[in-house]
Amino acid sequence: MRTSTRFPTRRRSLAGAAATLLTVTAVQAVGAQAAEPSVTLSPAVVSVDFGSSEGRLPRPERLNNFGNVTAWPDQRAGDAKFLNKQGLHGDIYRIWLSSPNAPDSMDVFNACDLSSRRCDLSELDAYLTEASTVSDSVLINLNPTDFVEGRRPMKDLEPMLELIVRSVKAKYPRVKYVEAFNEPDWQFYGLQRRQGIPPDRTTLQPGDLYRFYEPYYEAVSKVNRGLRHADRIELGGPALSWLDPKWMKPFLDDFAADRNPRKRLDFLAYHAYLAWDNDTYQTPTMYKSDLRVVASQRTTLLGWLKERRIHQRIPSYVTETGIYPGPAYDDTDPKQDYIRQAAGMATYSYYFANQPDTYMFNWCVRHRAEERKDQLVTRTPNGPLNDTFTPYGNTMLMQSRMKDTRVSASVSGALEGDNGVYAMASKDRTGASLMVWNWQHVGDRSYRATIDMARMPAELRNRHVRQLTYRIDQNTSNYFSDPAKAGLQLVSKQIVRPGRAHTATIDLAPNAIYLIVLERI
């Protein structure tokens, strides 16, 4: 988005506590490094039930974005190799084949010629190849700007889309998804309203969007006829800048009313940064001021789908997410903002993970212009660095080290609004894992969190277990504080012997993030 606007506790087991006293003491010593000695530590209790099972752990770290084709292209091949090596190979990577920030020669709509029925993808080849290398599947964003703005005839949109999708799919078979539009509510309406253009003179009105979507499903249907079922393209949109009922409801109305048997809407796409207060688009409500705003978005969408008798299992793809839309920031010196971004994205992940059929995409590996969004260190006096995570990137690395089956994890006594302590826990045959963090945004509250782990997995009980503790905070796993320790820092490695229960204590400075992993030796 381009805007310059500045958003059941369980009882502790005494036997378990005694069995792990050494662990508690060691982790407290480690945790104390995260908070200044003079800081008052508020109490929090994290209760984990490893005997429960809540299905597969959502994996947001496997849903990601490359910046557009011009965003640090010399680094991209090395980035793909590094991410794969670090265990961050993607399920889906989203890329842009028609970015307004790219030169015309790198816009796929200009690379394809209807008269010859050919596409010259040479300018996009490295981009598509690297996305295919770093991920099992690729989502291509196709934004029909010239057709919406009347520079190309509408009759050419469907055959052009068919040519593009057929050509790209043939050469890059990992392309699995097509996303129609990119923030059309902002690009063709909101930006113009912000500039004072009357609503009846903007490029698009909210009810105009679907007629540009119909050529997409016709084109995708034609391409899919020649593909095996497993290889067929999925199509979605409209990639709104926020979940705005003024735009989404008319789009769904038109989809519901469309009697074409070839219509398809395989996913609903939108972004999660902010909401606009009114139709003048002057004052945004930044989600970072209270991230709980996204917690009910799936329920809202389900209501809209149900009202229109549209299939309610259509998934939500939140294809861009962040606490800093456009060039927004909290501090002009980004040092504090880097750790806020890391904790903020962990909190977004938590709220979206609690909503069914909802998939949050990270944004992004390296941003073209805005450093707070980078997962890899890009803005230094000597230029972009290779193989170096930002705190945000290290948060994704933590998520990748979680186990596969989610279990119950709750926190008591530690939330004021959306600020405070959060937890996610998981298990599998190899062990158990727990992420705990203190989302404070610009707040300054620190916590001492007691972690009560009940019904430990049988594989970990009454035997020696390796306990690994990692931390990200303002001074740890943070290139911008200590370049020599930019990687995810292992702050404690111990041999422990859990019983049926296990206890630990950690100190959480503002926006600090911990990962605890327990595995058999």
Side-chain angles (χ1 to χ4, degrees):
M1 168 159 203
R2 293 168 295 280
T3 171
S4 59
T5 307
R6 299 283 191 249
F7 162 102
T9 306
R10 298 180 180 273
R11 288 188 299 172
R12 296 178 61 188
S13 163
L14 294 177
T20 59
L21 180 59
L22 176 61
T23 302
V24 175
T25 303
V27 175
Q28 282 178 334
V30 169
Q33 300 171 21
E36 296 297 328
S38 60
V39 171
T40 300
L41 297 173
S42 300
V45 177
V46 179
S47 301
V48 182
D49 179 5
F50 280 110
S52 65
S53 178
E54 298 185 350
R56 290 190 63 81
L57 181 75
R59 292 292 189 180
E61 76 278 6
R62 298 179 186 172
L63 306 173
N64 206 359
N65 278 265
F66 272 140
N68 77 15
V69 66
T70 66
W72 312 99
D74 292 342
Q75 274 64 49
R76 200 177 295 120
D79 291 346
K81 183 177 180 180
F82 175 66
L83 291 166
N84 284 338
K85 184 178 179 180
Q86 293 296 310
L88 283 170
H89 185 79
D91 289 337
I92 310 174
Y93 259 61
R94 176 174 178 254
I95 63 172
W96 312 65
L97 297 192
S98 53
S99 170
N101 297 311
D104 288 347
S105 63
M106 292 182 171
D107 185 330
V108 75
F109 285 99
N110 296 320
C112 295
D113 179 64
L114 282 177
S115 61
S116 66
R117 301 292 300 171
R118 295 177 64 87
C119 292
D120 179 1
L121 301 175
S122 57
E123 294 273 4
L124 296 164
D125 177 68
Y127 190 43
L128 281 154
T129 298
E130 288 144 8
S132 300
T133 301
V134 78
S135 185
D136 290 341
S137 57
V138 177
L139 181 154
I140 58 172
N141 179 276
L142 296 175
N143 193 23
T145 299
D146 285 354
F147 295 91
V148 173
E149 295 181 344
R151 290 193 294 272
R152 295 194 188 194
M154 187 67 177
K155 66 180 180 63
D156 287 350
L157 181 55
E158 180 190 325
M160 176 60 78
L161 288 167
E162 181 190 352
L163 177 59
I164 290 170
V165 175
R166 190 182 301 279
S167 301
V168 171
K169 179 68 174 178
K171 190 169 183 181
Y172 310 96
R174 288 197 171 183
V175 171
K176 175 71 175 176
Y177 305 91
V178 172
E179 182 184 45
F181 313 110
N182 182 61
E183 301 186 343
D185 52 322
W186 173 253
Q187 181 183 2
F188 303 120
Y189 184 82
L191 178 60
Q192 295 166 47
R193 293 291 293 124
R194 186 174 174 84
Q195 295 168 343
I197 296 174
D200 59 349
R201 295 179 57 192
T202 56
T203 303
L204 279 186
Q205 302 294 313
D208 295 338
L209 200 54
Y210 191 74
R211 68 187 179 94
F212 293 96
Y213 182 78
E214 291 174 289
Y216 280 81
Y217 75 64
E218 292 285 13
V220 167
S221 293
K222 289 178 180 178
V223 173
N224 279 345
R225 288 174 201 158
L227 298 174
R228 296 183 310 155
H229 188 272
D231 296 331
R232 289 177 182 169
I233 300 287
E234 294 187 19
L235 170 67
L240 300 178
S241 66
W242 65 287
L243 191 59
D244 185 355
K246 183 177 65 181
W247 283 83
M248 188 64 85
K249 284 184 174 182
F251 181 81
L252 294 175
D253 287 338
D254 290 339
F255 179 79
D258 188 349
R259 296 292 177 255
N260 190 328
R262 294 183 297 278
K263 74 175 183 180
R264 63 185 305 136
L265 183 60
D266 298 304
F267 58 90
L268 277 163
Y270 65 93
H271 299 166
Y273 297 108
L274 52 73
W276 291 99
D277 288 354
N278 55 51
D279 193 59
T280 65
Y281 285 78
Q282 298 300 312
T283 307
T285 297
M286 308 287 273
Y287 287 173
K288 65 180 178 175
S289 64
D290 191 338
L291 293 179
R292 293 175 301 175
V293 69
V294 304
S296 60
Q297 287 186 337
R298 183 64 187 177
T299 299
T300 298
L301 262 177
L302 286 174
W304 296 346
L305 295 173
K306 185 176 181 180
E307 288 170 0
R308 292 157 180 81
R309 297 183 179 181
I310 299 173
H311 183 45
Q312 294 181 57
R313 293 304 303 272
I314 297 173
S316 301
Y317 281 15
V318 189
T319 51
E320 288 184 34
T321 320
I323 66 170
Y324 296 120
Y329 58 84
D330 288 309
D331 290 346
T332 52
D333 180 349
K335 186 175 179 180
Q336 292 280 351
D337 288 353
Y338 285 119
I339 193 67
R340 290 170 182 146
Q341 168 78 353
M345 293 303 288
T347 308
Y348 265 123
S349 298
Y350 173 86
Y351 282 117
F352 284 121
N354 292 336
Q355 300 176 67
D357 301 315
T358 301
Y359 301 88
M360 188 205 91
F361 284 63
N362 284 277
W363 172 249
C364 62
V365 176
R366 296 185 194 266
H367 195 274
R368 180 179 58 88
E370 307 300 338
E371 58 194 307
R372 290 163 178 80
K373 305 173 187 183
D374 294 336
Q375 296 159 14
L376 297 174
V377 175
T378 303
R379 275 35 85 139
T380 78
N382 297 316
L385 300 186
N386 296 324
D387 303 351
T388 308
F389 285 120
T390 64
Y392 173 22
N394 277 324
T395 301
M396 295 173 64
L397 187 59
M398 273 189 176
Q399 291 171 328
S400 75
R401 296 183 181 180
M402 293 282 284
K403 305 304 181 181
D404 290 335
T405 299
R406 188 177 182 182
V407 302
S408 172
S410 60
V411 182
S412 63
L415 278 184
E416 293 186 0
D418 68 323
N419 292 156
V421 179
Y422 292 80
M424 293 273 284
S426 59
K427 65 181 180 181
D428 61 23
R429 292 181 178 180
T430 69
S433 59
L434 171 69
M435 279 185 69
V436 183
W437 65 98
N438 176 19
W439 163 239
Q440 285 294 308
H441 185 207
V442 295
D444 60 1
R445 176 161 289 191
S446 297
Y447 288 89
R448 173 156 290 167
T450 301
I451 304 171
D452 291 338
M453 295 173 253
R455 296 202 290 172
M456 292 295 291
E459 298 88 348
L460 302 179
R461 293 182 199 168
N462 303 313
R463 68 183 68 213
H464 287 109
V465 170
R466 181 182 296 109
Q467 179 171 294
L468 306 176
T469 304
Y470 303 86
R471 186 173 72 233
I472 303 167
D473 62 23
Q474 194 57 47
N475 301 307
T476 312
S477 307
N478 190 338
Y479 169 86
F480 306 100
S481 294
D482 185 352
K485 295 183 178 179
L488 182 59
Q489 295 297 299
L490 177 66
V491 296
S492 175
K493 181 178 180 180
Q494 304 157 50
I495 304 302
V496 298
R497 188 179 175 88
R500 181 174 173 81
H502 188 58
T503 305
T505 302
I506 57 174
D507 291 350
L508 289 155
N511 301 308
I513 309 169
Y514 273 82
L515 169 67
I516 299 173
V517 179
L518 295 118
E519 297 176 332
R520 290 181 60 178
I521 297 172

